[in-house]
Short mmCIF file of all heavy atoms in Angstrom, two decimals:
data_model
loop_
_atom_site.label_atom_id
_atom_site.label_comp_id
_atom_site.label_asym_id
_atom_site.label_seq_id
_atom_site.Cartn_x
_atom_site.Cartn_y
_atom_site.Cartn_z
N VAL A 185 11.76 -2.57 -11.69
CA VAL A 185 12.82 -3.59 -11.71
C VAL A 185 12.30 -4.94 -12.19
O VAL A 185 13.09 -5.81 -12.57
CB VAL A 185 13.47 -3.72 -10.33
CG1 VAL A 185 14.24 -2.46 -9.96
CG2 VAL A 185 12.44 -4.05 -9.25
N ILE A 186 10.99 -5.15 -12.15
CA ILE A 186 10.37 -6.37 -12.66
C ILE A 186 9.12 -5.96 -13.41
O ILE A 186 8.35 -5.12 -12.93
CB ILE A 186 9.99 -7.36 -11.53
CG1 ILE A 186 11.23 -7.85 -10.79
CG2 ILE A 186 9.20 -8.55 -12.08
CD1 ILE A 186 10.91 -8.72 -9.58
N GLU A 187 8.90 -6.53 -14.61
CA GLU A 187 7.67 -6.24 -15.34
C GLU A 187 7.18 -7.50 -16.04
O GLU A 187 7.95 -8.19 -16.72
CB GLU A 187 7.88 -5.11 -16.35
CG GLU A 187 6.58 -4.64 -16.98
CD GLU A 187 6.73 -3.32 -17.72
OE1 GLU A 187 7.88 -2.89 -17.93
OE2 GLU A 187 5.70 -2.74 -18.10
N HIS A 188 5.90 -7.80 -15.85
CA HIS A 188 5.26 -8.94 -16.50
C HIS A 188 4.19 -8.38 -17.43
O HIS A 188 3.10 -8.00 -16.99
CB HIS A 188 4.66 -9.87 -15.44
CG HIS A 188 3.95 -11.05 -16.01
ND1 HIS A 188 4.50 -11.88 -16.95
CD2 HIS A 188 2.71 -11.56 -15.76
CE1 HIS A 188 3.65 -12.84 -17.26
NE2 HIS A 188 2.55 -12.67 -16.55
N ARG A 189 4.52 -8.29 -18.72
CA ARG A 189 3.69 -7.54 -19.65
C ARG A 189 2.39 -8.23 -20.03
O ARG A 189 1.37 -7.55 -20.26
CB ARG A 189 4.49 -7.22 -20.92
CG ARG A 189 5.66 -6.26 -20.66
CD ARG A 189 6.40 -5.91 -21.94
NE ARG A 189 7.46 -4.95 -21.70
CZ ARG A 189 7.28 -3.64 -21.67
NH1 ARG A 189 6.07 -3.15 -21.88
NH2 ARG A 189 8.29 -2.82 -21.43
N SER A 190 2.35 -9.53 -20.08
CA SER A 190 1.12 -10.20 -20.51
C SER A 190 0.09 -10.31 -19.39
O SER A 190 -1.11 -10.33 -19.64
CB SER A 190 1.44 -11.61 -21.03
OG SER A 190 1.79 -12.47 -19.94
N GLY A 191 0.56 -10.37 -18.15
CA GLY A 191 -0.37 -10.54 -17.04
C GLY A 191 -0.95 -11.93 -16.92
O GLY A 191 -1.84 -12.16 -16.10
N LYS A 192 -0.47 -12.88 -17.70
CA LYS A 192 -1.06 -14.22 -17.66
C LYS A 192 -0.62 -15.01 -16.44
O LYS A 192 -1.35 -15.87 -15.96
CB LYS A 192 -0.69 -14.98 -18.94
CG LYS A 192 -1.36 -14.42 -20.19
CD LYS A 192 -1.01 -15.22 -21.43
CE LYS A 192 -1.71 -14.63 -22.65
NZ LYS A 192 -1.37 -15.40 -23.88
N VAL A 193 0.58 -14.73 -15.92
CA VAL A 193 1.05 -15.46 -14.74
C VAL A 193 0.62 -14.74 -13.47
O VAL A 193 0.01 -15.32 -12.58
CB VAL A 193 2.59 -15.62 -14.76
CG1 VAL A 193 3.07 -16.33 -13.49
CG2 VAL A 193 3.00 -16.41 -16.00
N ILE A 194 0.93 -13.46 -13.37
CA ILE A 194 0.52 -12.63 -12.23
C ILE A 194 -0.33 -11.49 -12.77
O ILE A 194 0.13 -10.70 -13.58
CB ILE A 194 1.74 -12.08 -11.47
CG1 ILE A 194 2.47 -13.21 -10.77
CG2 ILE A 194 1.33 -11.03 -10.47
CD1 ILE A 194 1.70 -13.84 -9.64
N SER A 195 -1.57 -11.41 -12.32
CA SER A 195 -2.50 -10.47 -12.95
C SER A 195 -3.51 -9.94 -11.94
O SER A 195 -4.51 -10.57 -11.66
CB SER A 195 -3.24 -11.17 -14.08
OG SER A 195 -4.17 -10.32 -14.71
N PRO A 196 -3.32 -8.74 -11.47
CA PRO A 196 -2.07 -8.00 -11.34
C PRO A 196 -1.50 -8.18 -9.94
O PRO A 196 -2.23 -8.50 -9.01
CB PRO A 196 -2.53 -6.55 -11.55
CG PRO A 196 -3.92 -6.54 -11.00
CD PRO A 196 -4.49 -7.93 -11.18
N ALA A 197 -0.21 -7.97 -9.79
CA ALA A 197 0.45 -8.15 -8.49
C ALA A 197 -0.01 -7.08 -7.51
O ALA A 197 -0.14 -5.92 -7.87
CB ALA A 197 1.97 -8.09 -8.66
N SER A 198 -0.27 -7.50 -6.27
CA SER A 198 -0.73 -6.55 -5.25
C SER A 198 0.31 -6.31 -4.16
O SER A 198 0.30 -5.25 -3.53
CB SER A 198 -2.03 -7.04 -4.61
OG SER A 198 -1.85 -8.30 -4.00
N THR A 199 1.19 -7.28 -3.91
CA THR A 199 2.24 -7.14 -2.90
C THR A 199 3.50 -7.83 -3.38
O THR A 199 3.43 -8.91 -3.97
CB THR A 199 1.81 -7.77 -1.55
OG1 THR A 199 0.57 -7.21 -1.14
CG2 THR A 199 2.85 -7.51 -0.47
N ALA A 200 4.64 -7.19 -3.16
CA ALA A 200 5.94 -7.79 -3.47
C ALA A 200 6.75 -7.89 -2.18
O ALA A 200 6.92 -6.89 -1.48
CB ALA A 200 6.69 -6.94 -4.49
N ILE A 201 7.21 -9.10 -1.87
CA ILE A 201 8.04 -9.34 -0.68
C ILE A 201 9.39 -9.85 -1.15
O ILE A 201 9.48 -10.86 -1.86
CB ILE A 201 7.39 -10.39 0.25
CG1 ILE A 201 6.05 -9.89 0.79
CG2 ILE A 201 8.34 -10.72 1.39
CD1 ILE A 201 6.15 -8.77 1.78
N VAL A 202 10.45 -9.15 -0.78
CA VAL A 202 11.81 -9.59 -1.10
C VAL A 202 12.35 -10.39 0.06
O VAL A 202 12.34 -9.93 1.21
CB VAL A 202 12.72 -8.38 -1.38
CG1 VAL A 202 14.15 -8.84 -1.64
CG2 VAL A 202 12.20 -7.58 -2.57
N HIS A 203 12.81 -11.61 -0.23
CA HIS A 203 13.41 -12.46 0.79
C HIS A 203 14.67 -13.07 0.20
O HIS A 203 14.62 -13.94 -0.67
CB HIS A 203 12.44 -13.57 1.21
CG HIS A 203 12.98 -14.45 2.30
ND1 HIS A 203 13.15 -14.02 3.60
CD2 HIS A 203 13.40 -15.74 2.27
CE1 HIS A 203 13.64 -15.02 4.32
NE2 HIS A 203 13.80 -16.07 3.53
N GLY A 204 15.83 -12.56 0.67
CA GLY A 204 17.09 -13.04 0.12
C GLY A 204 17.19 -12.72 -1.36
O GLY A 204 17.06 -11.56 -1.76
N ARG A 205 17.36 -13.73 -2.17
CA ARG A 205 17.50 -13.54 -3.61
C ARG A 205 16.22 -13.85 -4.36
O ARG A 205 16.24 -14.06 -5.58
CB ARG A 205 18.65 -14.40 -4.13
CG ARG A 205 19.99 -14.09 -3.44
CD ARG A 205 21.12 -14.90 -4.01
NE ARG A 205 21.43 -14.52 -5.38
CZ ARG A 205 22.40 -15.07 -6.10
NH1 ARG A 205 23.17 -16.01 -5.57
NH2 ARG A 205 22.62 -14.68 -7.35
N ARG A 206 15.08 -13.87 -3.65
CA ARG A 206 13.80 -14.16 -4.27
C ARG A 206 12.82 -13.01 -4.02
O ARG A 206 12.92 -12.29 -3.03
CB ARG A 206 13.18 -15.46 -3.73
CG ARG A 206 14.11 -16.63 -3.64
CD ARG A 206 14.67 -17.02 -4.99
NE ARG A 206 13.65 -17.42 -5.95
CZ ARG A 206 13.94 -17.71 -7.23
NH1 ARG A 206 15.19 -17.64 -7.66
NH2 ARG A 206 12.96 -18.06 -8.06
N VAL A 207 11.87 -12.85 -4.93
CA VAL A 207 10.74 -11.94 -4.75
C VAL A 207 9.47 -12.76 -4.85
O VAL A 207 9.28 -13.52 -5.82
CB VAL A 207 10.73 -10.83 -5.82
CG1 VAL A 207 9.49 -9.94 -5.64
CG2 VAL A 207 11.98 -9.99 -5.74
N PHE A 208 8.59 -12.60 -3.87
CA PHE A 208 7.31 -13.30 -3.87
C PHE A 208 6.20 -12.29 -4.15
O PHE A 208 6.13 -11.24 -3.51
CB PHE A 208 7.07 -14.01 -2.54
CG PHE A 208 8.11 -15.05 -2.24
CD1 PHE A 208 9.25 -14.74 -1.50
CD2 PHE A 208 7.97 -16.34 -2.73
CE1 PHE A 208 10.21 -15.69 -1.24
CE2 PHE A 208 8.94 -17.31 -2.47
CZ PHE A 208 10.06 -16.99 -1.73
N LEU A 209 5.36 -12.60 -5.13
CA LEU A 209 4.31 -11.69 -5.57
C LEU A 209 2.94 -12.31 -5.31
O LEU A 209 2.67 -13.46 -5.69
CB LEU A 209 4.44 -11.40 -7.06
CG LEU A 209 5.76 -10.75 -7.52
CD1 LEU A 209 5.78 -10.64 -9.04
CD2 LEU A 209 5.92 -9.39 -6.90
N SER A 210 2.07 -11.53 -4.67
CA SER A 210 0.68 -11.95 -4.52
C SER A 210 -0.16 -11.25 -5.60
O SER A 210 0.31 -10.36 -6.30
CB SER A 210 0.15 -11.57 -3.13
OG SER A 210 0.10 -10.16 -2.98
N GLN A 211 -1.44 -11.67 -5.71
CA GLN A 211 -2.34 -11.12 -6.71
C GLN A 211 -3.62 -10.63 -6.05
O GLN A 211 -3.97 -11.06 -4.96
CB GLN A 211 -2.69 -12.19 -7.74
CG GLN A 211 -1.50 -12.77 -8.46
CD GLN A 211 -1.89 -13.93 -9.34
OE1 GLN A 211 -2.26 -13.76 -10.49
NE2 GLN A 211 -1.81 -15.13 -8.79
N ILE A 212 -4.33 -9.74 -6.75
CA ILE A 212 -5.58 -9.22 -6.21
C ILE A 212 -6.66 -10.30 -6.19
O ILE A 212 -7.38 -10.45 -5.21
CB ILE A 212 -6.06 -8.01 -7.04
CG1 ILE A 212 -5.10 -6.83 -6.84
CG2 ILE A 212 -7.47 -7.61 -6.65
CD1 ILE A 212 -5.46 -5.61 -7.65
N LYS A 213 -6.77 -11.09 -7.26
CA LYS A 213 -7.90 -12.01 -7.38
C LYS A 213 -7.50 -13.49 -7.30
O LYS A 213 -8.21 -14.28 -6.70
CB LYS A 213 -8.62 -11.78 -8.72
CG LYS A 213 -9.24 -10.41 -8.87
CD LYS A 213 -10.42 -10.20 -7.94
CE LYS A 213 -11.64 -11.02 -8.35
NZ LYS A 213 -12.82 -10.67 -7.55
N ARG A 214 -6.38 -13.87 -7.89
CA ARG A 214 -6.08 -15.29 -8.01
C ARG A 214 -5.35 -15.82 -6.78
O ARG A 214 -4.62 -15.08 -6.12
CB ARG A 214 -5.30 -15.56 -9.30
CG ARG A 214 -6.14 -15.20 -10.53
CD ARG A 214 -5.52 -15.68 -11.82
NE ARG A 214 -4.29 -14.95 -12.15
CZ ARG A 214 -3.65 -15.10 -13.31
NH1 ARG A 214 -4.11 -15.93 -14.22
NH2 ARG A 214 -2.55 -14.42 -13.55
N SER A 215 -5.55 -17.10 -6.51
CA SER A 215 -5.16 -17.68 -5.22
C SER A 215 -3.83 -18.41 -5.25
O SER A 215 -3.71 -19.55 -4.81
CB SER A 215 -6.26 -18.63 -4.73
OG SER A 215 -6.50 -19.64 -5.70
N PHE A 216 -2.78 -17.79 -5.81
CA PHE A 216 -1.44 -18.38 -5.72
C PHE A 216 -0.42 -17.26 -5.77
O PHE A 216 -0.71 -16.13 -6.18
CB PHE A 216 -1.18 -19.40 -6.84
CG PHE A 216 -1.21 -18.83 -8.24
CD1 PHE A 216 -0.06 -18.29 -8.81
CD2 PHE A 216 -2.38 -18.84 -8.98
CE1 PHE A 216 -0.08 -17.78 -10.09
CE2 PHE A 216 -2.41 -18.32 -10.27
CZ PHE A 216 -1.27 -17.79 -10.83
N LEU A 217 0.80 -17.57 -5.32
CA LEU A 217 1.91 -16.63 -5.30
C LEU A 217 2.88 -16.97 -6.43
O LEU A 217 2.99 -18.12 -6.84
CB LEU A 217 2.65 -16.68 -3.97
CG LEU A 217 1.84 -16.44 -2.69
CD1 LEU A 217 2.74 -16.61 -1.47
CD2 LEU A 217 1.22 -15.05 -2.70
N ALA A 218 3.60 -15.96 -6.89
CA ALA A 218 4.68 -16.18 -7.86
C ALA A 218 6.02 -16.01 -7.15
O ALA A 218 6.18 -15.11 -6.32
CB ALA A 218 4.58 -15.22 -9.02
N ASP A 219 6.95 -16.87 -7.46
CA ASP A 219 8.30 -16.85 -6.88
C ASP A 219 9.26 -16.47 -8.00
O ASP A 219 9.40 -17.21 -8.98
CB ASP A 219 8.61 -18.25 -6.32
CG ASP A 219 10.03 -18.39 -5.80
OD1 ASP A 219 10.75 -17.39 -5.77
OD2 ASP A 219 10.39 -19.51 -5.39
N CYS A 220 9.90 -15.29 -7.88
CA CYS A 220 10.75 -14.75 -8.95
C CYS A 220 12.15 -14.48 -8.41
O CYS A 220 12.32 -14.20 -7.21
CB CYS A 220 10.18 -13.45 -9.50
SG CYS A 220 8.43 -13.48 -9.93
N PRO A 221 13.16 -14.49 -9.27
CA PRO A 221 14.49 -14.04 -8.84
C PRO A 221 14.45 -12.56 -8.50
O PRO A 221 13.80 -11.77 -9.18
CB PRO A 221 15.37 -14.31 -10.06
CG PRO A 221 14.60 -15.24 -10.92
CD PRO A 221 13.15 -14.96 -10.68
N ALA A 222 15.16 -12.18 -7.45
CA ALA A 222 15.25 -10.76 -7.10
C ALA A 222 16.09 -10.04 -8.12
O ALA A 222 17.02 -10.61 -8.69
CB ALA A 222 15.86 -10.60 -5.71
N PRO A 223 15.76 -8.77 -8.41
CA PRO A 223 16.59 -8.00 -9.37
C PRO A 223 17.98 -7.79 -8.84
O PRO A 223 18.20 -7.68 -7.63
CB PRO A 223 15.81 -6.68 -9.49
CG PRO A 223 15.01 -6.58 -8.24
CD PRO A 223 14.66 -8.00 -7.86
N GLU A 224 18.94 -7.73 -9.76
CA GLU A 224 20.33 -7.51 -9.36
C GLU A 224 20.50 -6.11 -8.80
O GLU A 224 19.93 -5.15 -9.30
CB GLU A 224 21.25 -7.71 -10.58
CG GLU A 224 21.31 -9.13 -11.10
CD GLU A 224 21.94 -10.09 -10.09
OE1 GLU A 224 22.84 -9.65 -9.35
OE2 GLU A 224 21.53 -11.27 -10.08
#
Side-chain angles (χ1 to χ4, degrees):
V185 293
I186 296 174
E187 189 166 11
H188 178 50
R189 293 183 177 275
S190 72
K192 291 182 179 180
V193 177
I194 292 292
S195 179
S198 59
T199 305
I201 297 290
V202 177
H203 182 70
R205 302 183 68 179
R206 314 299 299 175
V207 177
F208 298 92
L209 300 175
S210 66
Q211 302 173 87
I212 292 178
K213 297 291 289 188
R214 296 191 292 187
S215 57
F216 63 88
L217 303 177
D219 175 5
C220 311
E224 293 295 327

